Amino acid sequence: MMLLVIACIIGLLFDLVVGDPPKMPHPVRWIGKLIQAQTALWNKGNMRKFRGMIMALAVVGTTMFVVTVIVVLSYQVNIVFGILIEGLLIGVGLAQRSLKEAAIAVYEPLVQGDFAEARVKLSWIVGRDTDQLDEDEIVRGVVETVSENTSDGVTAPLFYAFLFGAIGLWGYKAVNTLDSMIGYKNEKYKDFGMFAARLDDVLNFIPSRLTGLLMVLGTKNETTVSLGKRLKRWVQDAKKHPSPNSGYLEAATAVQLGVQLGGKNTYQGVASYRATMGEKLVPLTKEHIATSVTHMRIATLLFTLVMLAMEVLIFAIT
């Protein structure tokens, strides 16, 4: 257990300092290529729900097997080498630094008044149309992305790293990648991707709610609204979101900043309306991007402390 905790701390520090190693292919890309190849092979004919389940389990199993081999062989060299390699695998699987960099890449041109560049940089991290967005809608896109991915990209993988090490983290990352690639409710994927989407919902159930709660309790409240009212609004608005998990992050950010998230988005020219989160006490401004990044970091720190406390409790009981 102590080795696992040390590896997780190493991973967190690696993500904060280095992030995604430059000029190196990220393992998620390899998982994505495997999913693409298997989807082309299996997403056809009848029994697509069953085919999708088998394919998803095969991708997750393959990912966990490869990581298991790396971890086991590393520890066989010696304990220190094993901890370092597992820590590296954990660090590469976290996205705290990359989320910050993606947000700042939009924030900086906004500060300079270069809205065209900000729209381009936003299009790299969201699926919605960005070419006609004004400043507040650009900011909303960034804030929603940082907020939602605080769980998807940081605390949820960290949760499984603390429980099961790099093997657990990369098992989760495989599921999350499956969901992002085939977990759609359109004609092509609604049956084939159903199992992957449901599995991702299950795995994110605890991390998303815990992270959202820590945001409300632990980050700076930018409004005069009482904690009790913010908690009530957080729970109410979270349930409006089409995702059973993402709403708990976006609603937490909205009530803490005193802004309204959600609303109209356009995808390839087609308007889509999402339930609003929070109350518009103040308008969205570019400074909310920097604040959302700070909230992500605070929530991650608090989440880490909670997981450390859980490890200590388990150690004490056993």
Side-chain angles (χ1 to χ4, degrees), residues 2-16 19-21 26-28 67 70-71 75 82-96 153-170 173 304 311:
M2 183 58 67
L3 297 182
L4 192 59
V5 168
I6 295 172
C8 287
I9 299 302
I10 291 173
L12 274 166
L13 293 174
F14 180 87
D15 179 46
L16 281 172
D20 294 339
H26 198 283
V28 168
V67 176
I70 295 172
V71 170
Y75 276 104
I83 293 174
L84 290 174
I85 293 300
E86 184 157 28
L88 176 63
L89 287 170
I90 291 170
V92 172
L94 301 175
Q96 190 174 181
V154 186
T155 58
L158 190 60
F159 179 77
Y160 291 101
F162 269 104
L163 291 178
F164 309 111
I167 299 167
L169 180 148
W170 281 102
K173 294 291 287 187
T304 302
E311 295 282 359

Side-chain angles (χ1 to χ4, degrees), residues 36-98:
Q36 283 182 326
Q38 294 303 306
T39 298
L41 183 65
W42 289 88
N43 189 19
K44 54 188 176 183
N46 299 321
M47 301 177 64
R48 293 200 184 189
K49 290 182 182 179
F50 179 75
R51 286 169 171 265
M53 180 183 72
I54 296 301
M55 191 275 281
L57 291 174
V59 169
V60 175
T62 299
T63 302
M64 295 179 74
F65 174 77
V66 171
V67 176
T68 300
V69 171
I70 295 172
V71 170
V72 170
L73 291 178
S74 298
Y75 276 104
Q76 286 183 349
V77 175
N78 60 60
I79 291 178
V80 174
F81 184 74
I83 293 174
L84 290 174
I85 293 300
E86 184 157 28
L88 176 63
L89 287 170
I90 291 170
V92 172
L94 301 175
Q96 190 174 181
R97 184 180 178 91
S98 60

Side-chain angles (χ1 to χ4, degrees), residues 206-221:
I206 294 175
S208 63
R209 285 154 180 78
L210 177 55
T211 306
L213 178 62
L214 292 173
M215 278 189 178
V216 178
L217 296 178
T219 61
K220 182 181 178 182
N221 174 27

Side-chain angles (χ1 to χ4, degrees), residues 233 237-238 240-241 254 260-264 274-279:
R233 184 66 184 253
D237 285 358
K240 301 176 185 177
H241 200 281
Q260 189 173 82
L261 301 177
K264 178 184 175 182
R274 178 177 292 180
T276 55
M277 308 275 118
E279 184 180 2

